[in-house]
Amino acid sequence: MLTELKREAYEANLALPQHGLINLTFGNASAMDRAKGIFAIKPSGVAYAALKPEDMVLIDLDGKQVEGALRPSSDTPTHRRLFLAFPEIGGVVHTHSSHATAFAQAGREIPIFGTTHADYFYGNVPVTRKMSPAEITGGAYEWETGNVIVELFTSLGLDPADFPAVLVNRHAPFTWGKTVAKAVEVAVATECIAHMALMSLQLEPHLPVIESSLRDKHFKRKHGPGAYYGQPGC
Amino acid sequence: MLTELKREAYEANLALPQHGLINLTFGNASAMDRAKGIFAIKPSGVAYAALKPEDMVLIDLDGKQVEGALRPSSDTPTHRRLFLAFPEIGGVVHTHSSHATAFAQAGREIPIFGTTHADYFYGNVPVTRKMSPAEITGGAYEWETGNVIVELFTSLGLDPADFPAVLVNRHAPFTWGKTVAKAVEVAVATECIAHMALMSLQLEPHLPVIESSLRDKHFKRKHGPGAYYGQPGC
Amino acid sequence: MLTELKREAYEANLALPQHGLINLTFGNASAMDRAKGIFAIKPSGVAYAALKPEDMVLIDLDGKQVEGALRPSSDTPTHRRLFLAFPEIGGVVHTHSSHATAFAQAGREIPIFGTTHADYFYGNVPVTRKMSPAEITGGAYEWETGNVIVELFTSLGLDPADFPAVLVNRHAPFTWGKTVAKAVEVAVATECIAHMALMSLQLEPHLPVIESSLRDKHFKRKHGPGAYYGQPGC
Amino acid sequence: MLTELKREAYEANLALPQHGLINLTFGNASAMDRAKGIFAIKPSGVAYAALKPEDMVLIDLDGKQVEGALRPSSDTPTHRRLFLAFPEIGGVVHTHSSHATAFAQAGREIPIFGTTHADYFYGNVPVTRKMSPAEITGGAYEWETGNVIVELFTSLGLDPADFPAVLVNRHAPFTWGKTVAKAVEVAVATECIAHMALMSLQLEPHLPVIESSLRDKHFKRKHGPGAYYGQPGC
């Protein structure tokens, strides 16, 4: 069942090492069918070279495995938490891409230093608080990982469409989008802007973020009713 | 019409991801036919893998789309502004290449620290002032982007042949040349010298720029009547 | 003899340049047959492109070359020392991978700054003391290299299964695992976490290591009786 | 004539972009036939993709072009100066490889921080003094570039076999060896150790160079009568 959804998830997972975002088996991607309330996700710890579309595991929003011979990604509860909290998203990607992870490890937001960043995000890429020992050891670590993300977006009133990525403190980035292909694109952009931000900080350690007019212009050039980037209908 | 011009623009656009200067659909290249007053430019937001020579959009110097089923790059007015202001150039390239963009984001010129730089530029790669909110939000953002570049070159009396690239503050590099292939070459060189300058600054934070005799020697070895680099007639 | 063992060692050696861990002929991998007490190792200074499975040299635990027309890797005594001291390991890998070697040269541990690190190591990647002039010049340099590693693990009471890599001071990393394929995987991870740690330190020069609860959670998610990462039996 | 010599020079030139040492047409390699007193060198400014073995230009030690339809590399006089001063070398390579060039631009030696370095060099990779305006503008710039290298080696009493590379101040590295293939290998190693030294300096800005016993051990393991690295006769 859901052959097309599994194919989408499969292709997104393969795209991660192709874009240099993933080493070994770090990372995973999932694609959601909102009508059915089911998402397809990578099986845990399977090498990318050996992956096949039919290996994708199907999970419903209650966390039940509805299809698949393999064990799903250990991060499945984080994906599920995000699909539940952010109803407009259709795909989630998790990587340990090097530059974005360096910011996550340092507990630092990726500052919005230029138009490349503003093309994807309406401000800094946010970073969660550290997880508590209870959240880590309580038996639902991956679900709680999703919870600290949701808590951050709720408490700051962030729209997941305006901020399609987050850094989990001491861990790594998660990204999302209307489709899993879009979530992959955001993962590429997040890694790229993290790299550039790190270098800009080397040049100017106290560099301020960009002016709101430039942020608005670039973000809205690509998003929302006034967007004029790309082809109509794309 | 202008099949050869479209092929040139197409090949230049493809060369950008091949040289590692472009991720996703960031960036664009255009090729000018001065006799006809028409340039060919990449369509907006089309993936490089899907691009075909006949997708190139033809634009005249008044900004009218004279051929092409697709919407041209959103940066088209910047290219047009440069073609109007710099009559000797035949190609323009825009990238968000990582190291050059890091300097642009920091609002810093790329200092001329060595002969690699002097082979392409007769001094630092200049950086524009920041654009004003009025320029950003006034409805002609991309045209105004061209204007701040032209203003910089006019106010400093810079010859675009001596300085075939600029960093737009908070944004990214634009490069140009007699042909679009040359503009691609300058884009590669700009990224390369930005990378090396960043590392030289790590080693020597107060490193001075090179002496004028060395700058003159290397630049003129490759440019102008006394040039002796390369093959005659190349 | 031991055709399969030689093939494993051969494939592990080839994987090193494929993962970007090795330039030229720096580095080597060996695979152990515990039942026979013999390991297969790369011949010294042979280019990877020219390597064949049957070129692998067979060495026993007394250091005797039991098969092979070529001279074994000059680092063979280090491998042998590790196989003797760590009876549970079946493969050893030595690289000069750039970021890990930068830490080794600086005599610095790789600090455990995030979950990527904790997925592989139960703490910082340790670094040996410097070798003494006597150890260096006494005629058994490579054996003594193994000795300073063993001394470090013994004196700190480190379990080689919890810390499957070490940085030899002023030199470079060695990694190991139950199989040589696992040792290659650890070599990839070590390089990756060294890169990320270096960047996190650029962002936060006094960044503390992660909390023990997060370290325990990620390490034990993948290792030991409570592991639930990957597929059962993998 | 000298078909084999031209093929060697051709292959060495092609190896430079393959190893990531060269962008565009920066850099060149030459191979010497000592019996004939003639060397083969890359033609100037020809793209690597278009290069053919028969394009190599033959030059004698007086600087006369003895064969070849194309103009030789503009750096030919530097190669000739080195072949004259260092009679034991059979190949010269010039690159603008990024990390080594960053040191050259900063006027800094590459410090000997580890065994990777000591496997190739018997100390820091030296850097020349800056060239004087007279040397730069006097009409024999590339010959004078060779002269400042020779002056450095003479004044410090350096043996070119112990120090097979130099950084020309404000410019870039030159490397050499018994064969041009060996000079390419040294160019790869020089770039690699420059990268690692830059990172080690980020970790420890005042890191001392390695002890002389470790330097001697690694250098002599690979060079001279007591060498035991590699295969006999290689």
Side-chain angles (χ1 to χ4, degrees):
Chain A
M1 70 188 273
L2 293 172
T3 307
E4 176 59 15
L5 189 74
K6 286 186 282 189
R7 198 192 51 76
E8 273 177 51
Y10 165 74
E11 287 180 358
N13 276 293
L14 281 203
L16 300 179
Q18 283 162 3
H19 281 290
L21 300 177
I22 298 265
N23 264 322
L24 306 171
T25 58
F26 311 164
N28 37 70
S30 66
M32 183 77 194
D33 182 320
R34 284 283 170 190
K36 298 222 162 51
I38 289 174
F39 62 96
I41 193 164
K42 181 171 164 284
S44 184
V46 174
Y48 287 96
L51 216 55
K52 295 186 297 292
E54 57 268 31
D55 292 336
M56 297 298 114
V57 183
L58 295 181
I59 307 284
D60 70 16
L61 282 173
D62 296 323
K64 202 175 65 133
Q65 181 162 339
V66 297
E67 196 193 275
L70 295 166
R71 194 190 274 182
S73 166
S74 54
D75 294 315
T76 299
T78 315
H79 289 246
R80 184 164 71 90
R81 187 69 194 89
L82 295 176
F83 282 128
L84 284 167
F86 303 157
E88 68 274 33
I89 68 173
V92 171
V93 163
H94 173 47
T95 79
H96 288 221
S97 72
S98 300
H99 298 84
T101 301
F103 277 85
Q105 291 189 153
R108 291 266 296 257
E109 298 185 337
I110 308 174
I112 180 166
F113 282 151
T115 60
T116 324
H117 188 124
D119 281 339
Y120 284 89
F121 297 95
Y122 196 59
N124 294 355
V125 177
V127 63
T128 70
R129 64 167 170 80
K130 289 187 197 176
M131 294 176 71
S132 71
E135 289 164 340
I136 293 169
T137 62
Y141 168 66
E142 292 83 2
W143 176 259
E144 296 292 353
T145 300
N147 274 338
V148 296
I149 297 172
V150 174
E151 175 194 304
L152 177 74
F153 275 66
T154 305
S155 67
L156 298 180
L158 301 179
D159 183 336
D162 290 348
F163 295 87
V166 72
L167 305 179
V168 176
N169 207 311
R170 299 305 217 161
H171 189 152
F174 284 82
T175 68
W176 48 78
K178 285 199 175 169
T179 61
V180 68
K182 189 70 189 172
V184 170
E185 182 185 335
V186 175
V188 173
T190 301
E191 175 61 6
C192 178
I193 63 176
H195 186 193
M196 298 194 304
L198 193 78
M199 294 189 286
S200 292
L201 281 169
Q202 184 188 325
L203 289 167
E204 295 288 349
H206 303 292
L207 186 66
V209 298
I210 59 173
E211 292 65 29
S212 58
S213 54
L214 188 60
R215 177 200 61 192
D216 288 11
K217 178 67 193 176
H218 267 265
F219 191 76
K220 293 177 179 167
R221 199 166 84 141
K222 282 190 142 181
H223 303 87
Y228 58 93
Y229 181 93
Q231 304 302 323
C234 290
Chain B
M1 68 189 276
L2 294 171
T3 307
E4 176 58 16
L5 189 73
K6 286 187 281 189
R7 198 191 51 74
E8 273 177 50
Y10 164 75
E11 288 180 358
N13 275 292
L14 281 204
L16 301 179
Q18 284 162 2
H19 280 290
L21 300 177
I22 297 266
N23 263 322
L24 305 171
T25 59
F26 311 163
N28 36 71
S30 66
M32 183 77 194
D33 182 320
R34 285 284 170 190
K36 296 221 163 51
I38 289 173
F39 61 96
I41 192 164
K42 181 171 163 283
S44 184
V46 174
Y48 286 97
L51 215 55
K52 295 188 297 292
E54 55 268 31
D55 292 336
M56 298 297 115
V57 184
L58 295 181
I59 307 285
D60 71 15
L61 282 172
D62 296 324
K64 202 174 66 131
Q65 182 162 340
V66 297
E67 196 193 274
L70 295 166
R71 195 190 272 180
S73 165
S74 54
D75 294 316
T76 299
T78 315
H79 289 245
R80 184 165 70 91
R81 187 70 194 88
L82 295 175
F83 282 128
L84 284 167
F86 303 156
E88 69 275 32
I89 68 173
V92 171
V93 163
H94 174 47
T95 80
H96 288 222
S97 72
S98 301
H99 298 83
T101 301
F103 277 86
Q105 291 189 153
R108 292 265 297 255
E109 298 184 339
I110 307 172
I112 180 165
F113 282 151
T115 60
T116 325
H117 188 126
D119 281 339
Y120 284 89
F121 297 96
Y122 197 60
N124 294 354
V125 177
V127 63
T128 70
R129 64 168 170 80
K130 289 186 195 174
M131 294 176 71
S132 71
E135 289 164 340
I136 292 168
T137 63
Y141 168 65
E142 291 84 2
W143 176 258
E144 295 293 354
T145 300
N147 274 338
V148 296
I149 297 172
V150 174
E151 175 194 305
L152 177 74
F153 275 66
T154 304
S155 68
L156 297 181
L158 302 178
D159 184 336
D162 291 348
F163 295 87
V166 72
L167 304 179
V168 176
N169 206 312
R170 299 305 218 160
H171 189 151
F174 284 83
T175 69
W176 48 78
K178 284 199 174 168
T179 62
V180 68
K182 191 69 191 172
V184 170
E185 181 185 335
V186 175
V188 172
T190 301
E191 176 62 5
C192 178
I193 62 176
H195 186 193
M196 298 194 304
L198 192 78
M199 294 188 286
S200 292
L201 281 170
Q202 183 188 325
L203 289 167
E204 295 289 350
H206 303 293
L207 186 66
V209 297
I210 59 172
E211 290 67 28
S212 58
S213 54
L214 188 60
R215 178 200 61 193
D216 287 11
K217 178 67 194 176
H218 267 265
F219 191 76
K220 292 177 179 167
R221 199 165 84 141
K222 280 190 145 182
H223 303 88
Y228 57 94
Y229 181 93
Q231 302 303 322
C234 289
Chain C
M1 69 188 273
L2 293 172
T3 307
E4 177 58 17
L5 189 74
K6 286 187 280 188
R7 198 193 49 77
E8 274 178 50
Y10 164 75
E11 288 179 359
N13 276 293
L14 281 203
L16 301 179
Q18 284 162 2
H19 280 291
L21 300 178
I22 297 266
N23 263 322
L24 305 171
T25 59
F26 311 163
N28 38 70
S30 66
M32 183 77 193
D33 182 320
R34 284 284 170 190
K36 296 223 165 47
I38 289 174
F39 61 97
I41 192 163
K42 180 170 163 284
S44 183
V46 174
Y48 287 96
L51 215 55
K52 295 187 299 291
E54 57 268 32
D55 292 337
M56 297 299 113
V57 183
L58 295 181
I59 307 285
D60 70 16
L61 282 172
D62 296 325
K64 202 175 65 133
Q65 179 161 341
V66 296
E67 195 193 276
L70 296 166
R71 193 191 274 181
S73 166
S74 54
D75 294 315
T76 298
T78 314
H79 290 244
R80 185 165 70 90
R81 188 70 194 87
L82 295 175
F83 283 127
L84 283 167
F86 303 157
E88 69 274 33
I89 69 175
V92 171
V93 164
H94 172 48
T95 79
H96 289 222
S97 72
S98 300
H99 298 84
T101 301
F103 277 85
Q105 291 188 153
R108 293 266 295 256
E109 297 185 339
I110 307 174
I112 181 167
F113 281 151
T115 60
T116 324
H117 188 124
D119 282 339
Y120 284 89
F121 297 95
Y122 197 59
N124 294 354
V125 177
V127 63
T128 70
R129 65 167 171 80
K130 289 188 197 175
M131 295 176 69
S132 71
E135 288 164 339
I136 293 168
T137 62
Y141 168 65
E142 293 82 4
W143 175 259
E144 295 293 353
T145 300
N147 274 339
V148 295
I149 298 171
V150 174
E151 173 195 306
L152 177 73
F153 274 66
T154 305
S155 67
L156 298 180
L158 301 179
D159 183 336
D162 291 348
F163 295 87
V166 72
L167 305 179
V168 175
N169 207 311
R170 300 307 216 158
H171 190 155
F174 284 81
T175 68
W176 47 79
K178 284 198 176 171
T179 62
V180 69
K182 190 69 188 174
V184 171
E185 182 185 336
V186 175
V188 172
T190 302
E191 175 61 6
C192 179
I193 62 177
H195 186 194
M196 298 196 302
L198 192 77
M199 294 190 286
S200 292
L201 281 170
Q202 184 188 325
L203 289 167
E204 296 289 350
H206 302 292
L207 186 65
V209 297
I210 60 172
E211 291 65 28
S212 58
S213 54
L214 188 61
R215 178 200 61 191
D216 287 11
K217 177 68 193 173
H218 267 265
F219 191 75
K220 291 176 180 168
R221 198 165 84 140
K222 283 190 143 181
H223 303 87
Y228 58 93
Y229 181 93
Q231 303 302 323
C234 291
Chain D
M1 67 189 276
L2 293 171
T3 307
E4 177 58 17
L5 189 73
K6 287 187 280 189
R7 197 191 52 74
E8 273 178 50
Y10 164 76
E11 288 179 358
N13 275 292
L14 281 203
L16 301 179
Q18 284 162 2
H19 280 291
L21 300 177
I22 297 265
N23 264 322
L24 305 171
T25 59
F26 311 163
N28 37 70
S30 65
M32 183 77 194
D33 182 321
R34 285 284 169 189
K36 295 222 163 52
I38 290 173
F39 61 97
I41 193 164
K42 181 170 162 282
S44 183
V46 173
Y48 286 97
L51 215 55
K52 296 188 297 292
E54 56 267 34
D55 292 336
M56 297 298 114
V57 183
L58 295 181
I59 307 285
D60 71 16
L61 282 173
D62 296 324
K64 201 173 67 128
Q65 180 161 340
V66 297
E67 196 193 274
L70 295 165
R71 196 190 271 180
S73 167
S74 54
D75 294 314
T76 299
T78 315
H79 290 244
R80 183 164 71 91
R81 187 69 194 88
L82 295 175
F83 282 127
L84 284 166
F86 303 156
E88 69 274 32
I89 68 175
V92 171
V93 163
H94 173 47
T95 80
H96 288 222
S97 71
S98 300
H99 298 83
T101 301
F103 277 86
Q105 291 189 152
R108 292 265 295 257
E109 296 184 341
I110 307 173
I112 181 166
F113 282 152
T115 59
T116 326
H117 189 124
D119 280 339
Y120 284 90
F121 296 96
Y122 196 61
N124 294 354
V125 177
V127 61
T128 70
R129 65 167 170 83
K130 290 188 196 174
M131 295 176 71
S132 71
E135 288 164 339
I136 292 168
T137 63
Y141 168 65
E142 291 82 4
W143 177 259
E144 295 293 352
T145 300
N147 274 338
V148 296
I149 297 171
V150 174
E151 174 195 307
L152 177 74
F153 275 66
T154 305
S155 67
L156 298 180
L158 302 178
D159 183 336
D162 291 347
F163 295 86
V166 72
L167 305 178
V168 175
N169 206 310
R170 300 305 219 160
H171 189 152
F174 283 81
T175 68
W176 48 79
K178 284 199 175 168
T179 62
V180 69
K182 191 69 189 173
V184 170
E185 182 185 337
V186 175
V188 172
T190 301
E191 176 61 5
C192 179
I193 61 176
H195 185 194
M196 298 195 304
L198 193 78
M199 294 189 286
S200 292
L201 281 170
Q202 183 189 325
L203 289 167
E204 295 290 350
H206 303 293
L207 185 66
V209 298
I210 59 173
E211 291 65 29
S212 58
S213 54
L214 189 60
R215 178 199 62 192
D216 287 11
K217 177 68 193 175
H218 268 265
F219 191 76
K220 291 177 181 167
R221 198 165 84 141
K222 281 190 144 183
H223 303 87
Y228 58 94
Y229 180 93
Q231 302 303 323
C234 291

